[in-house]
Amino acid sequence: MTSSRRLRAARTSLVGGVAAGSLLLLASPAFAHVTVQPGTAEKGGYSTIAVKVPNEKDNASTVKVELSLDPKHPLASVMPQAVPGWEVKVEKSKLDKPLQMHGKTIEEAVSKVTWTGGKIEPGQFQQFPLSVGQLPTDADELVFKALQTYSDDEVVRWIDPSKPGGHEAEHPAPVLKLVAKGSAGTTPAKADDKAGDKAGKDSATAAAEKSSGSDTTARVLGVVGIVVGVAGAVFGVVAGRRRSAA
């Protein structure tokens, strides 16, 4: 085999390998987790959070979501917002140590919230809002546990604790970070909105530039066409006169 053939063969193998790798990357599913949004809230206050549940399967729907609250830090108030198409059930448990709130003694608190009756289709997600409070002041996070049931009876347990070193668990439990008052900053939702607005503006600018470029090209081609047409007409007239003269 000559050196040029070897070079072409090497290039072909390289292109084939890159193409195969690209196909594998495109074929790999983009996994998402059950999370609590926004991910942070202020200590000692009240907050509205949403349990975000994506459907990770392409052949089954999510039909049931169960959320167990952090037993180490019971909340006196947990109120779910109605979600169209879903029924909600709130379960309470007796507290080992009663809570004191607004001069009242709270002896039981919500321990579990369950949503049933609806469907999260493949490729979609659903948010289940909750109003919670009063958030603890002696903790840096609330750890929830979620069970996601699919229409094919598979149950995914989002209950794994965080691993040392910041490594993510296979099925991490949803976590709400608690921060000092005034340091919560911009919520992820607002940050996403800003990013989305910027992306939208960039897209609009790109589209305008593309449209402007296309208009300019069309004008140039139109002028060239007119010039060519005029030149052709002149050439025809001149040629006709020469034939007549001959």
Side-chain angles (χ1 to χ4, degrees):
M1 182 182 292
T2 63
S3 58
S4 60
R5 289 183 178 179
R6 291 175 180 172
L7 181 59
R8 284 197 298 270
R11 289 176 177 173
T12 301
S13 299
L14 178 60
V15 171
V18 171
S22 301
L23 289 175
L24 287 174
L25 288 174
L26 292 174
S28 299
F31 292 108
H33 304 319
V34 173
T35 57
V36 171
Q37 302 292 333
T40 59
E42 292 183 350
K43 295 180 178 181
Y46 289 80
S47 182
T48 298
I49 62 176
V51 183
K52 184 177 180 181
V53 183
N55 192 328
E56 295 187 339
K57 304 187 70 172
D58 57 5
N59 58 354
S61 301
T62 297
V63 295
K64 183 178 181 180
V65 176
E66 303 168 77
L67 184 74
S68 295
L69 280 70
D70 193 334
K72 297 180 180 179
H73 305 284
L75 302 175
S77 176
V78 177
M79 295 187 295
Q81 179 178 328
V83 178
W86 293 81
E87 298 178 2
V88 60
K89 179 182 178 181
V90 177
E91 300 179 34
K92 295 184 177 182
S93 299
K94 188 175 181 62
L95 299 175
D96 295 332
K97 182 180 180 181
L99 298 175
Q100 298 295 326
M101 180 174 289
H102 305 302
K104 295 182 180 181
T105 300
I106 309 297
E107 296 185 349
E108 62 178 11
V110 174
S111 57
K112 185 178 182 181
V113 183
T114 303
W115 292 269
T116 57
K119 284 186 177 181
I120 307 175
E121 303 290 349
Q124 299 180 2
F125 73 91
Q126 179 66 57
Q127 294 195 32
F128 301 93
L130 292 171
S131 175
V132 296
Q134 185 175 2
L135 298 175
T137 57
D138 58 348
D140 294 326
E141 63 181 20
L142 290 180
V143 180
F144 303 90
K145 292 185 178 180
L147 301 184
Q148 181 179 12
T149 302
Y150 285 92
S151 56
D152 60 1
D153 296 329
E154 180 183 358
V155 178
V156 180
R157 302 169 62 84
W158 301 96
I159 63 174
D160 295 343
S162 300
K163 293 183 177 181
H167 299 292
E168 189 176 60
E170 183 177 0
H171 295 99
V175 176
L176 176 64
K177 298 290 184 180
L178 301 178
V179 297
K181 187 176 181 179
S183 61
T186 303
T187 63
K190 293 181 180 179
D192 290 344
D193 290 343
K194 292 180 179 179
D197 291 342
K198 183 179 185 302
K201 291 178 181 178
D202 292 344
S203 298
T205 302
E209 292 176 350
K210 182 178 181 180
S211 176
S212 177
S214 299
D215 291 343
T216 302
T217 302
R219 291 193 185 99
V220 173
L221 292 177
V223 172
V224 172
I226 293 173
V227 172
V228 172
V230 171
V234 172
F235 177 79
V237 171
V238 173
R241 289 179 178 178
R242 287 180 178 178
R243 285 196 297 270
S244 297

